[in-house]
Amino acid sequence: MALSTIEHLILQARSMPQDEIDKLCNVAFDTFHQSDKSADCSFALRQLVFILQASTTEPSLPKKLIGLMLQSLGSGRSGVSKRKQCVLCSDLLREVLPSDELSLQDGQAPLTPNKSVEYLPLYIIQGHAEGCLDKIVPFALRWLTEEKLDCDVQKKLFTFLVGVETLHRHMLSEVDVTSISKKASDWLMNASLYQAPNPYTYNPFKKDHSLPVNEIDGTPSRNFFSVLNVGQYYTEDQVLNIFTFSLLYKWLSHPNTGKQQSRTVTPTGETTHTSTIFTTLVPKTVDYCFRILDQCERKPKVPQDCDLQDACLLEVVKILDLVCKIDHGQLSKVFQEIKRLFSRLTQKDTPPRILLQILQFFLNHSEEVVYDPQQAYDMYFGHLISLHCGNASVAYETLQFITDNLETLCYKTNVLSKYFPNIFKVFHALLDLPCICAALEVSERALKGESTPAQTPAQGGELTSLEAYRDPLYNLMFKFVMRVEGGCGDTISRLKDLHDILHDMCNSPRVVVCGQVVPVLLRVFFTVIGEEGDEKLANQMFPVILERTGLLYEIPEYQIDVRRLLAESVYQLFRAYPSLVVDQYTEIMEYIMSTRNITHKERLFSHLVWGIGEYCSNSHDKRCTPEMICKYYEALEALTYEISGMVQSAPSEELSSFSPRLVTILLSALAKLATRCQDLIPRVILCLTKVSQQQLNSNLEPETKESLVDRAQELINLLKLPNFASVILNPSADIESGSSHKDHTSEAVILRTTHRILRPDL
């Protein structure tokens, strides 16, 4: 069913008038006991369930119908249609409760386990209203611990008591919890090792010969039964064993774990405290979990059982983590098993969720056993995330893990600082955070049914963001920017169109604050890139930076801050990896050939020109040939003439858009390139001469004009002495390190010494 159809049905149900609801109630009541109209009754009940689930107001049903539904739950009605009606009645009553006006005792027969268990979920919801929970809990305890009941009844009773302890804390006493824990221990450890007979056949002449249950690899089981044992049919105690394991974590984590503690001495001589209510259940839980760990080392006979093994492993690690919090005496032997499990799982393709649960165990307990889990962190955050970065489930689980353990990860590990780029995999998403925020705001307004925009119209006055969201032509762009999954290089060719559509949201408080956060995150991102990145990552990042400098959401302060950071990142990348001038030759040439890229992005443009002049040399990369130097030179020369001409012809009021600093950097870059290919020196001198003459006739400020002309003349004079120009414009790396000023054989030291000998009077 299409999503739009479902939304329409939900809106229709919410707007259903009370008289229509009353009609459905009357149909359900009149046909409830008419077998020939059971379909009409079920349809009316189903409609009522849907209406109440969709309703945002307090539901209202006639008491006569509620009483009839309460009676039906405990009547043990037979037949498929009647059982369906009972299920619908239970669902409907759950929507009505809790209510102070209703009593679950209305119409009920005397309390008996087989009939009362159908009401237990309703008691949980009703809570303490009219004291109904206080009345039923003692009966449920007695039925579970003292009477022999059917498997289904025992399952419902145990589920109810777990729910009571979870949702209505401290209703159960320590004695009650202890008796339930002993019952759970028996279910875990004493299940039969033989399969149940086939319930669909009966041969009175054949002797009963039950088959043993098998291990997951097909061999007969010789140990106690667990959830991973396989049989064609299961006995009731085996079903209870499996059911108990499914609720074990919830039961162990209930709040009574801190009551009535007893002292326990660990193998290392330490004294710990364990709640007496778990002195029986905890050791048997550990034995049961270890049994499952052993079974998970077997190769399944049926390949589909691998998923069952993985699910059980996840639950076992989770339970053992909780057990070690309850009883520190178990930590030593449990920790050894978890370490062995981790070593085994890393040798094969294991679901990341299991490994993440093991990381949680290490994070909780490694300090107590003096164990450094750095190898586990490196494996997950350094290797595994890269393999599964496109998996939405892995991304969510990882984010949840980081959020739950943020303080510990920040102050006790280096995970966040070391693997920040890997955790926050998508650079585009970081730059698009304000755009994502704006799109989410528009989506929220659309869901609220707003018909007019709260902000100014979009650019061009054609569509507001809200109208565009509802337009199928633009809705795909909204879906993309709000996508769940991401990957390296995520962007869209129509990003500028999306920014224009969302222009009316740029003053939204949420969007503005989001734009203020991005520069902070970017600064951290580039800091870690500089510390932990490599040349491969630099080559991936460089073209993205050039592309996205001109594709930013139109918040003026946000654009200024982000462009400044991107320009600084280009400068740092050049310094760290000079070979980018060669590797990114095509991208750089394409960018500097257009003067449009100077507008609002001059700082980045200047850093590109500086990088060409500084690192386009075979001393930095042997692949930098004279042909490449000449091509870079020709591009910069044409750019210099174009910018110089615009400065010369521009009126005084327009000169603020041209920076003399960029012209100076261009002149220096041309001179540096000429010293590496000396055939270019005459062309550079001619270019510098023409530029200086053009600037003399420009409308620049006198001081600015003088500095540009002086700089051009200095470079001309220097280039007339090619050997000196090569040394001065391409200094050795020793100068930056300072060795040329410390080495006694360096040219500078010899010149100073000679000067003192020849001119002792100075």
Side-chain angles (χ1 to χ4, degrees), residues 364-637:
N364 292 340
H365 305 290
S366 57
E367 280 191 3
E368 298 178 54
V369 295
V370 195
Y371 174 76
D372 183 9
Q374 187 61 45
Q375 181 184 358
Y377 299 150
D378 293 341
M379 189 280 301
Y380 187 86
F381 291 101
H383 174 67
L384 208 64
I385 289 182
S386 297
L387 296 179
H388 299 278
C389 62
N391 188 318
S393 174
V394 175
Y396 175 80
E397 294 289 345
T398 304
L399 181 61
Q400 190 66 48
F401 174 82
I402 293 172
T403 304
D404 293 342
N405 302 281
L406 189 59
E407 185 174 349
T408 304
L409 292 173
C410 283
Y411 296 110
K412 295 185 179 181
T413 74
N414 65 347
V415 167
L416 298 183
S417 59
K418 185 175 182 180
Y419 294 111
F420 177 82
N422 212 20
I423 295 169
F424 204 110
K425 196 70 178 178
V426 187
F427 177 64
H428 288 286
L430 182 55
L431 293 178
D432 287 332
L433 282 180
C435 188
I436 295 171
C437 181
L440 289 172
E441 284 237 333
V442 174
S443 172
E444 183 179 356
R445 291 179 181 180
L447 291 175
K448 290 180 179 178
E450 290 189 17
S451 58
T452 56
Q455 306 289 339
T456 58
Q459 288 181 342
E462 296 179 357
L463 283 176
T464 65
S465 56
L466 197 58
E467 293 168 341
Y469 180 82
R470 293 167 175 154
D471 190 326
L473 181 64
Y474 299 102
N475 188 257
L476 289 176
M477 289 194 291
F478 281 90
K479 289 182 178 179
F480 176 83
V481 79
M482 295 187 294
R483 66 198 182 280
V484 176
E485 297 184 6
C488 187
D490 276 346
T491 186
I492 51 175
S493 58
R494 299 173 64 192
L495 193 57
K496 181 64 169 63
D497 296 337
L498 182 61
H499 290 167
D500 292 341
I501 290 169
L502 294 171
H503 180 72
D504 60 344
M505 298 296 299
C506 64
N507 293 322
S508 167
R510 288 182 182 175
V511 177
V512 171
V513 171
C514 192
Q516 294 169 350
V517 170
V518 170
V520 179
L521 296 176
L522 266 182
R523 188 173 288 109
V524 177
F525 181 85
F526 284 125
T527 299
V528 179
I529 289 292
E531 295 173 355
E532 306 292 340
D534 53 19
E535 189 170 351
K536 180 181 178 181
L537 180 59
N539 275 286
Q540 292 174 340
M541 293 290 300
F542 196 89
V544 176
I545 293 173
L546 298 185
E547 175 193 19
R548 291 309 306 271
T549 303
L551 285 174
L552 297 173
Y553 189 53
E554 295 181 5
I555 305 175
E557 296 80 4
Y558 160 76
Q559 289 185 333
I560 293 171
D561 291 342
V562 170
R563 282 171 178 160
R564 184 182 67 252
L565 287 170
L566 294 180
E568 292 174 3
S569 71
V570 168
Y571 172 76
Q572 296 297 338
L573 287 175
F574 269 134
R575 287 179 61 87
Y577 308 104
S579 60
L580 286 172
V581 174
V582 178
D583 295 330
Q584 300 297 325
Y585 169 78
T586 304
E587 299 287 343
I588 294 173
M589 286 289 285
E590 183 179 344
Y591 196 87
I592 65 175
M593 290 294 287
S594 174
T595 55
R596 290 181 301 176
N597 290 324
I598 300 176
T599 308
H600 305 306
K601 297 168 279 186
E602 185 181 308
R603 185 187 294 266
L604 175 65
F605 201 95
S606 299
H607 286 164
L608 283 177
V609 174
W610 170 84
I612 294 171
E614 192 74 15
Y615 298 114
C616 186
S617 168
N618 62 6
S619 63
H620 293 289
D621 195 316
K622 298 301 181 183
R623 296 174 297 168
C624 190
T625 61
E627 290 78 8
M628 181 176 290
I629 294 174
C630 288
K631 289 180 180 179
Y632 268 129
Y633 172 81
E634 290 171 356
L636 293 183
E637 183 186 50

